């Protein structure tokens, strides 16, 4: 070892942090190639009998140096915390697994029981995971509480290896009567994608002990997000969820929203840059209204959320006593929308809660959408049907359907199916008392179908007394059922209704309905009923006030509906 290198190491050792059982060489920039280069370091380790934490991050470790350090670690049975991030800069990728196996083997031989392991920023890929696979399975990691593997380039293969190791570790530790209870998991920037994320979801669900999960920037889309969401709701102590810069879209956001309904300890949610969009934002607003009692921070930035949906989120966030920050920056509000959001927060004395809106993306450009919708019309029904079936399955898998709604429906009489397939006032009247059976055709777990049935029935409205009574009674029965469940159920339904009315741009190719005045008049009637709660009316009113042009063809009925909505929203209960 060159004399200047020895001098550098001696200088570093004179400044090392020693205390609380910790020996630290953090950020020293040491180039440790061989046994000679770590002699002084090892001497310090040997002279520290109560060593509980070893910081080697910010240095670069070769295989021979790792072997020498490993030899010293074999006697450190009290070691609990290994901070070994950014430890292989400039090393060949093929060297890293060998170095990790040496260090891991020493920990296992020593009988150490780790609580913290940080190997972030090492870019070792799937092969690096193979280097720590046995360590993660061993008793040395059965006590692990924090695992940090940020920016390691794991990829799908590494994610699967890691998941299998955690599952095996949990199985073995459970057999000893003390199951692995990982609290903090950090693995951002690892290109895990759907397969890696889904594999890890299995491990997370099995452990059920997570308090913080950070998995930003992993190329995960809705399939992987749904798997993770299912796992999250089995971890009741979750406090922090960070999935920034993955791609949720509607399906992933609905699944995450459903999971959040089961979690009472969440304090920080970071779904920024996740393409949550407006339908997803409405679903999350519902969860804010009925759950998340101690939430402090909500990040829905850069998610293509429009002004009306952002306002719905803001309104729902107002009642959270511990809320400190709502981030809606980088969405599609437009200048007027940003000002409206600031004003709304200010009026509720929550102006300081709103993060900057300096990077707003401007109002969405809808030009040409109608033409595109027409061009796609031939395929729309098939694609829409597939999308809705998958959305419904997500809803059912995540437990949204209530038990009293879930039994298989009896075969519907031909008369009822006739009304739905080819609606007419005459057929509705002919049903007589069977009209009430129409509500059996709607299910909160299939909000699109429910909205479609509602609009079909409402389209039969007329001022002829008998028809008017029959239509309104049926509308009341259907809506009472749809709106009497959870806030989440009701918001999913209202969201689908808004899409079909042209007041909200939905995902996929859900077909907009050509509205007639009677449909709006039925809604006006419904809003005045007890089952139509004030916050339901506020949701509709927010979207109508921001998209009034969508109802131009029914201007008189639209004005009546708007007026009734405004009155309902301002009523004090």
């Amino acid at each position: 070892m060159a004399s200047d290198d020895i001098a550098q190491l001696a200088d570093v050792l004179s400044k090392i942090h020693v205390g609380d059982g910790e020996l630290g060489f953090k950020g020293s920039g040491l180039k440790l190639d061989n046994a000679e280069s770590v002699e002084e370091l090892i001497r310090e380790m040997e002279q520290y009998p109560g060593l509980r934490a070893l910081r080697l991050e910010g240095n670069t470790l070769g295989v021979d140096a790792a072997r020498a350090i490993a030899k010293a670690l074999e006697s450190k049975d009290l070691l609990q915390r290994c901070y070994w991030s950014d430890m292989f800069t400039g090393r060949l990728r093929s060297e890293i697994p060998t170095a990790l196996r040496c260090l891991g083997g020493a920990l296992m031989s020593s009988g150490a029981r780790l609580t913290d392991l940080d190997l972030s920023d090492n870019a070792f890929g799937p092969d690096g995971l193979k280097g720590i696979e046995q360590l993660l399975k061993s008793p040395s990691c059965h006590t692990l509480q924090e695992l940090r593997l940020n920016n390691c380039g794991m990829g799908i293969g590494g994610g699967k290896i890691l998941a299998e190791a955690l599952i095996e570790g949990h199985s073995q530790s459970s057999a000893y009567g003390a199951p692995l209870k990982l609290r903090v998991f950090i693995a951002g920037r690892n290109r895990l994608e759907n397969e890696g994320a889904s594999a890890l979801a299995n491990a997370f669900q099995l452990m059920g002990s997570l308090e913080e999960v950070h998995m930003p920037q992993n190329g995960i889309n809705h399939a992987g997000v749904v798997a993770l969401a299912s796992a999250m709701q089995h971890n009741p102590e979750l406090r922090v969820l960070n999935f920034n810069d993955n791609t949720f879209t509607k399906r992933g956001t609905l699944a995450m929203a459903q999971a959040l309904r089961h979690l009472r300890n969440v304090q920080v949610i970071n779904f920024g840059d996740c393409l949550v969009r407006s339908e997803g934002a409405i679903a999350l607003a519902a969860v804010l209204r009925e759950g998340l009692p101690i939430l402090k921070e909500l990040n829905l930035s850069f998610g293509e959320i429009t002004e009306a949906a952002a306002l719905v989120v803001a309104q729902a966030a107002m009642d959270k006593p511990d809320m400190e920050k709502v981030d809606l920056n980088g969405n599609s509000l437009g200048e007027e929308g940003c000002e409206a959001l600031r004003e709304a927060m200010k009026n509720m004395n929550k102006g300081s809660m709103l993060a900057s809106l300096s990077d707003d993306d401007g109002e969405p450009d809808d030009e040409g959408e109608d033409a595109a919708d027409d061009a796609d019309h031939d395929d729309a029904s098939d694609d829409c049907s597939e999308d809705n079936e998958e959305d419904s399955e997500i809803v059912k898998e995540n437990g949204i359907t209530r038990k009293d709604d879930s039994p298989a429906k009896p075969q519907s009489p031909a008369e009822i199916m006739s009304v739905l397939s080819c609606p007419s006032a005459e057929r509705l009247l002919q049903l007589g008392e069977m009209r009430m059976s129409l509500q059996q055709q709607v299910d909160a777990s299939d909000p699109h179908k429910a909205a479609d049935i509602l609009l079909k029935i409402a389209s039969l409205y007329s001022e002829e007394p008998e028809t008017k009574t029959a239509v309104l009674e049926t509308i009341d029965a259907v809506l009472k059922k749809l709106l009497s469940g959870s806030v989440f159920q009701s918001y999913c339904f209202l969201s689908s209704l808004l899409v079909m009315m042209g007041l909200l741009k939905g995902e996929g190719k859900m077909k907009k309905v050509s509205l007639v005045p009677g449909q709006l008049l039925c809604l006006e009637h419904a809003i005045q009923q007890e089952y139509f709660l004030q916050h339901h009316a506020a949701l509709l009113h927010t979207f109508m006030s921001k998209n009034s042009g969508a109802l131009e063809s029914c201007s008189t009925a639209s004005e009546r509906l708007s007026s009734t909505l405004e009155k309902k929203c301002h009523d004090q209960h």
Side-chain angles (χ1 to χ4, degrees):
M1 186 176 186
S3 59
D4 55 344
D5 290 336
I6 295 173
Q8 182 192 10
L9 179 55
D11 181 60
V12 167
L13 291 172
S14 70
K15 300 174 183 176
I16 59 175
H17 170 66
V18 179
D20 300 324
E22 180 176 295
L23 189 60
F25 306 90
K26 180 179 180 180
S28 302
L30 298 173
K31 192 170 187 294
L32 307 172
D33 295 323
N34 49 42
E36 183 186 4
S37 67
V38 293
E39 283 178 355
E40 291 293 331
L41 186 154
I42 290 171
R43 189 171 296 116
E44 291 290 337
M45 290 173 61
E46 289 173 343
Q47 292 174 0
Y48 204 150
L51 185 63
R52 283 179 167 79
L54 180 61
R55 288 190 173 275
L56 295 176
E57 63 263 63
N59 300 289
T60 176
L61 198 64
V63 172
D64 290 340
R67 286 196 179 103
I69 293 173
K71 186 69 175 173
L73 283 174
E74 289 178 356
S75 63
K76 300 302 176 184
D77 60 325
L78 298 179
L79 189 66
Q80 296 177 329
R81 303 185 300 279
C82 297
Y83 302 111
W84 295 348
S85 63
D86 189 20
M87 202 170 66
F88 298 107
T89 301
R91 301 295 172 181
L92 295 175
R93 193 160 174 173
S94 59
E95 292 181 82
I96 300 174
T98 303
L100 288 172
R101 284 192 186 95
C102 292
L103 295 168
L107 292 171
M108 291 186 281
S109 297
S110 72
R113 296 293 183 264
L114 299 184
T115 59
D116 297 54
L117 178 60
D118 185 356
L119 288 165
S120 299
D121 300 315
N122 279 312
F124 47 47
D127 288 342
L129 262 298
K130 293 176 183 177
I132 60 170
E133 183 179 8
Q134 294 307 313
L135 172 63
L136 291 172
K137 292 177 180 180
S138 76
S140 287
C141 282
H142 290 177
T143 49
L144 202 60
Q145 295 178 16
E146 299 191 11
L147 178 60
R148 301 169 188 267
L149 295 166
N150 205 54
N151 192 30
C152 288
M154 282 192 280
I156 294 172
K160 289 181 175 180
I161 293 169
L162 176 59
E164 289 170 6
L166 291 173
I167 289 170
E168 178 65 22
H170 183 270
S171 175
Q172 290 187 19
S173 58
S174 296
Y176 292 133
L180 170 63
K181 292 184 178 181
L182 195 65
R183 293 191 298 106
V184 177
F185 179 83
I186 300 176
R189 299 181 65 190
N190 271 294
R191 304 192 306 276
L192 292 169
E193 301 182 16
N194 290 337
E195 289 184 61
S198 297
L200 285 166
N202 292 329
F204 297 160
Q205 183 163 326
L206 191 64
M207 290 185 291
S209 55
L210 290 167
E211 296 178 19
E212 294 187 27
V213 177
H214 302 261
M215 297 176 67
Q217 204 173 339
N218 268 298
I220 307 168
N221 66 31
H222 77 265
V225 174
V226 169
L228 287 167
S230 180
M232 292 305 101
Q233 70 184 51
H234 289 85
N235 287 264
E237 300 304 316
L238 266 173
R239 293 182 293 103
V240 180
L241 269 180
N242 176 8
F243 291 109
N244 189 285
D245 199 9
N246 289 291
T247 307
F248 282 24
T249 61
K250 176 185 174 182
R251 291 175 196 162
T253 311
L254 284 178
M256 274 295 173
Q258 171 58 24
L260 288 168
R261 292 180 64 211
H262 299 270
L263 302 172
R264 309 292 294 176
N265 295 302
V266 175
Q267 297 179 23
V268 178
I269 295 172
N270 186 345
F271 294 163
D273 206 9
C274 283
L275 217 57
V276 165
R277 293 187 174 137
S278 294
E279 286 181 280
I282 292 171
L284 291 170
V287 181
L288 283 172
R289 284 199 175 274
E290 66 179 346
L292 300 172
I294 59 172
L295 189 67
K296 292 182 177 180
E297 293 184 23
L298 175 64
N299 183 346
L300 298 180
S301 59
F302 299 93
E304 295 188 4
I305 298 169
T306 58
E307 176 190 354
L311 285 167
V312 170
V313 170
Q315 290 160 2
M318 290 309 98
D319 294 330
K320 298 291 146 189
D322 299 315
M323 186 70 86
E324 298 172 0
K325 183 179 179 181
V326 176
D327 191 346
L328 289 162
N329 193 24
N331 282 298
S332 304
L333 310 185
E335 280 188 39
E336 291 184 7
C338 288
E339 188 54 41
L341 183 57
R342 291 190 192 98
E343 190 67 23
M345 299 286 276
K346 183 180 177 182
N347 289 341
M348 293 180 277
N349 296 317
K350 301 287 185 178
S352 61
M353 184 190 297
L354 184 65
S356 168
L357 298 173
S358 59
D359 296 316
D360 187 73
D361 203 32
E363 293 183 59
D365 181 10
D366 294 336
E367 187 176 346
E369 278 185 13
D370 292 339
D373 288 344
D374 291 341
D376 291 331
H377 179 71
D378 291 341
D379 300 323
S381 59
D382 289 341
D383 290 346
C384 186
S385 175
E386 290 175 11
D387 287 347
N388 292 325
E389 283 178 16
E390 190 164 341
D391 288 348
S392 182
E393 284 306 307
I394 290 171
V395 168
K396 289 175 181 175
E397 285 170 7
N398 286 278
I400 293 177
T401 305
R402 293 179 301 159
K403 289 181 180 178
D404 55 322
D405 288 339
S406 57
K409 301 184 187 73
Q411 185 66 37
S412 302
E415 297 91 337
I416 289 177
M417 299 311 296
S418 176
V419 170
L420 296 177
S421 62
C422 190
S424 73
E426 182 181 1
R427 286 176 173 165
L428 184 67
L429 290 170
Q430 286 174 350
L431 286 177
E433 292 184 1
M434 283 179 63
R435 283 198 302 273
M436 292 303 100
S437 298
L438 280 167
Q439 66 177 296
Q440 295 175 6
Q441 301 304 308
V442 298
D443 191 317
S445 70
D446 192 348
H448 174 263
K449 181 182 177 183
D452 182 53
I453 289 174
L454 181 83
L455 289 173
K456 281 179 177 177
I457 297 168
S459 69
L460 306 178
Y461 178 90
S462 79
E463 290 298 331
E464 192 278 314
E466 191 178 5
T467 301
K468 179 178 180 179
T469 298
V471 170
L472 293 181
E473 284 181 352
T474 309
I475 290 292
D476 283 338
V478 169
L479 276 176
K480 188 173 183 179
K481 177 181 180 181
L482 291 169
L483 299 180
S484 64
S486 68
V487 179
F488 185 85
Q489 288 174 324
S490 62
Y491 273 38
C492 285
F493 161 69
L494 291 172
S495 179
S496 292
L497 185 63
L498 288 167
V499 172
M500 296 183 76
M501 292 174 67
L503 294 169
L504 167 63
K505 181 185 175 183
E507 290 188 19
K509 299 176 180 178
M510 191 184 295
K511 189 179 175 184
K512 297 176 185 176
V513 172
S514 297
L515 295 174
V516 295
Q519 290 164 320
L520 303 188
L521 294 176
C522 283
L523 276 177
E524 190 227 356
H525 160 82
I527 288 159
Q528 299 172 67
Q529 310 309 308
E530 287 187 5
Y531 61 75
F532 212 104
L533 302 180
Q534 192 176 28
H535 66 90
H536 295 144
L539 174 58
L540 287 186
H541 183 256
T542 299
F543 276 88
M544 277 198 67
S545 64
K546 301 300 176 184
N547 302 280
S548 55
L551 305 179
E552 284 178 335
S553 61
C554 309
S555 57
T556 302
S558 175
E559 288 171 9
R560 280 181 57 178
L561 177 56
S562 293
S563 176
T564 304
L565 278 169
E566 190 162 351
K567 183 176 184 301
K568 181 91 172 190
C569 291
H570 289 90
D571 281 347
Q572 296 298 319
H573 295 293

mmCIF file of all heavy atoms in Angstrom, residues 365-382:
data_model
loop_
_atom_site.group_PDB
_atom_site.id
_atom_site.type_symbol
_atom_site.label_atom_id
_atom_site.label_comp_id
_atom_site.label_asym_id
_atom_site.label_seq_id
_atom_site.Cartn_x
_atom_site.Cartn_y
_atom_site.Cartn_z
ATOM 1 N N ASP A 365 -55.950 19.594 -23.383
ATOM 2 C CA ASP A 365 -56.429 19.938 -24.721
ATOM 3 C C ASP A 365 -57.337 18.824 -25.209
ATOM 4 O O ASP A 365 -56.887 17.726 -25.512
ATOM 5 C CB ASP A 365 -55.240 20.102 -25.663
ATOM 6 C CG ASP A 365 -55.673 20.499 -27.078
ATOM 7 O OD1 ASP A 365 -56.865 20.816 -27.260
ATOM 8 O OD2 ASP A 365 -54.814 20.481 -27.982
ATOM 9 N N ASP A 366 -58.643 19.113 -25.271
ATOM 10 C CA ASP A 366 -59.617 18.090 -25.684
ATOM 11 C C ASP A 366 -59.928 18.149 -27.173
ATOM 12 O O ASP A 366 -60.764 17.420 -27.669
ATOM 13 C CB ASP A 366 -60.933 18.259 -24.915
ATOM 14 C CG ASP A 366 -60.738 17.984 -23.430
ATOM 15 O OD1 ASP A 366 -59.787 17.258 -23.114
ATOM 16 O OD2 ASP A 366 -61.516 18.508 -22.616
ATOM 17 N N GLU A 367 -59.265 19.033 -27.902
ATOM 18 C CA GLU A 367 -59.567 19.202 -29.320
ATOM 19 C C GLU A 367 -59.326 17.901 -30.071
ATOM 20 O O GLU A 367 -58.290 17.266 -29.935
ATOM 21 C CB GLU A 367 -58.667 20.295 -29.910
ATOM 22 C CG GLU A 367 -59.051 20.650 -31.353
ATOM 23 C CD GLU A 367 -58.203 21.807 -31.877
ATOM 24 O OE1 GLU A 367 -57.539 22.482 -31.062
ATOM 25 O OE2 GLU A 367 -58.221 22.025 -33.082
ATOM 26 N N GLY A 368 -60.296 17.530 -30.835
ATOM 27 C CA GLY A 368 -60.178 16.330 -31.657
ATOM 28 C C GLY A 368 -60.573 15.056 -30.958
ATOM 29 O O GLY A 368 -60.603 13.999 -31.559
ATOM 30 N N GLU A 369 -60.886 15.137 -29.654
ATOM 31 C CA GLU A 369 -61.249 13.908 -28.933
ATOM 32 C C GLU A 369 -62.535 13.303 -29.459
ATOM 33 O O GLU A 369 -62.666 12.100 -29.578
ATOM 34 C CB GLU A 369 -61.403 14.208 -27.439
ATOM 35 C CG GLU A 369 -60.084 14.218 -26.712
ATOM 36 C CD GLU A 369 -60.277 14.406 -25.232
ATOM 37 O OE1 GLU A 369 -61.425 14.275 -24.762
ATOM 38 O OE2 GLU A 369 -59.290 14.673 -24.535
ATOM 39 N N ASP A 370 -63.518 14.176 -29.756
ATOM 40 C CA ASP A 370 -64.795 13.665 -30.251
ATOM 41 C C ASP A 370 -64.614 12.915 -31.553
ATOM 42 O O ASP A 370 -65.205 11.866 -31.781
ATOM 43 C CB ASP A 370 -65.789 14.817 -30.433
ATOM 44 C CG ASP A 370 -66.194 15.424 -29.106
ATOM 45 O OD1 ASP A 370 -66.043 14.733 -28.082
ATOM 46 O OD2 ASP A 370 -66.659 16.574 -29.092
ATOM 47 N N ALA A 371 -63.769 13.464 -32.432
ATOM 48 C CA ALA A 371 -63.525 12.798 -33.702
ATOM 49 C C ALA A 371 -62.857 11.449 -33.478
ATOM 50 O O ALA A 371 -63.181 10.457 -34.113
ATOM 51 C CB ALA A 371 -62.632 13.677 -34.595
ATOM 52 N N ALA A 372 -61.919 11.437 -32.540
ATOM 53 C CA ALA A 372 -61.235 10.176 -32.228
ATOM 54 C C ALA A 372 -62.206 9.174 -31.644
ATOM 55 O O ALA A 372 -62.164 7.977 -31.957
ATOM 56 C CB ALA A 372 -60.091 10.433 -31.244
ATOM 57 N N ASP A 373 -63.136 9.673 -30.796
ATOM 58 C CA ASP A 373 -64.133 8.780 -30.224
ATOM 59 C C ASP A 373 -64.991 8.167 -31.317
ATOM 60 O O ASP A 373 -65.313 6.981 -31.285
ATOM 61 C CB ASP A 373 -65.031 9.540 -29.237
ATOM 62 C CG ASP A 373 -64.297 9.879 -27.951
ATOM 63 O OD1 ASP A 373 -63.237 9.275 -27.714
ATOM 64 O OD2 ASP A 373 -64.795 10.744 -27.208
ATOM 65 N N ASP A 374 -65.372 8.987 -32.297
ATOM 66 C CA ASP A 374 -66.200 8.479 -33.396
ATOM 67 C C ASP A 374 -65.437 7.436 -34.200
ATOM 68 O O ASP A 374 -65.995 6.416 -34.616
ATOM 69 C CB ASP A 374 -66.619 9.636 -34.318
ATOM 70 C CG ASP A 374 -67.608 10.574 -33.624
ATOM 71 O OD1 ASP A 374 -68.217 10.137 -32.622
ATOM 72 O OD2 ASP A 374 -67.751 11.729 -34.065
ATOM 73 N N ALA A 375 -64.151 7.708 -34.456
ATOM 74 C CA ALA A 375 -63.351 6.777 -35.245
ATOM 75 C C ALA A 375 -63.210 5.430 -34.549
ATOM 76 O O ALA A 375 -63.116 4.391 -35.184
ATOM 77 C CB ALA A 375 -61.961 7.377 -35.508
ATOM 78 N N ASP A 376 -63.197 5.464 -33.229
ATOM 79 C CA ASP A 376 -63.023 4.232 -32.460
ATOM 80 C C ASP A 376 -64.345 3.562 -32.122
ATOM 81 O O ASP A 376 -64.358 2.542 -31.445
ATOM 82 C CB ASP A 376 -62.300 4.535 -31.143
ATOM 83 C CG ASP A 376 -60.858 4.932 -31.377
ATOM 84 O OD1 ASP A 376 -60.304 4.463 -32.383
ATOM 85 O OD2 ASP A 376 -60.320 5.698 -30.559
ATOM 86 N N HIS A 377 -65.453 4.114 -32.589
ATOM 87 C CA HIS A 377 -66.764 3.663 -32.120
ATOM 88 C C HIS A 377 -66.998 2.175 -32.341
ATOM 89 O O HIS A 377 -67.582 1.488 -31.505
ATOM 90 C CB HIS A 377 -67.853 4.472 -32.831
ATOM 91 C CG HIS A 377 -69.238 4.052 -32.418
ATOM 92 N ND1 HIS A 377 -69.752 4.335 -31.169
ATOM 93 C CD2 HIS A 377 -70.205 3.356 -33.077
ATOM 94 C CE1 HIS A 377 -70.981 3.852 -31.086
ATOM 95 N NE2 HIS A 377 -71.274 3.252 -32.222
ATOM 96 N N ASP A 378 -66.502 1.658 -33.473
ATOM 97 C CA ASP A 378 -66.765 0.245 -33.773
ATOM 98 C C ASP A 378 -66.158 -0.683 -32.732
ATOM 99 O O ASP A 378 -66.707 -1.735 -32.418
ATOM 100 C CB ASP A 378 -66.186 -0.112 -35.152
ATOM 101 C CG ASP A 378 -66.961 0.559 -36.270
ATOM 102 O OD1 ASP A 378 -68.119 0.972 -36.016
ATOM 103 O OD2 ASP A 378 -66.410 0.689 -37.386
ATOM 104 N N ASP A 379 -64.991 -0.292 -32.197
ATOM 105 C CA ASP A 379 -64.317 -1.148 -31.226
ATOM 106 C C ASP A 379 -64.664 -0.795 -29.794
ATOM 107 O O ASP A 379 -64.323 -1.520 -28.869
ATOM 108 C CB ASP A 379 -62.788 -1.036 -31.381
ATOM 109 C CG ASP A 379 -62.345 -1.455 -32.767
ATOM 110 O OD1 ASP A 379 -62.950 -2.399 -33.294
ATOM 111 O OD2 ASP A 379 -61.399 -0.846 -33.300
ATOM 112 N N ALA A 380 -65.344 0.335 -29.621
ATOM 113 C CA ALA A 380 -65.503 0.879 -28.274
ATOM 114 C C ALA A 380 -66.243 -0.058 -27.339
ATOM 115 O O ALA A 380 -65.843 -0.248 -26.200
ATOM 116 C CB ALA A 380 -66.224 2.225 -28.330
ATOM 117 N N SER A 381 -67.328 -0.654 -27.808
ATOM 118 C CA SER A 381 -68.135 -1.459 -26.896
ATOM 119 C C SER A 381 -67.360 -2.664 -26.390
ATOM 120 O O SER A 381 -67.413 -2.999 -25.221
ATOM 121 C CB SER A 381 -69.425 -1.914 -27.591
ATOM 122 O OG SER A 381 -69.118 -2.663 -28.748
ATOM 123 N N ASP A 382 -66.592 -3.317 -27.300
ATOM 124 C CA ASP A 382 -65.822 -4.484 -26.870
ATOM 125 C C ASP A 382 -64.733 -4.085 -25.889
ATOM 126 O O ASP A 382 -64.558 -4.702 -24.845
ATOM 127 C CB ASP A 382 -65.190 -5.181 -28.084
ATOM 128 C CG ASP A 382 -66.230 -5.875 -28.932
ATOM 129 O OD1 ASP A 382 -67.334 -6.126 -28.402
ATOM 130 O OD2 ASP A 382 -65.939 -6.165 -30.107
#
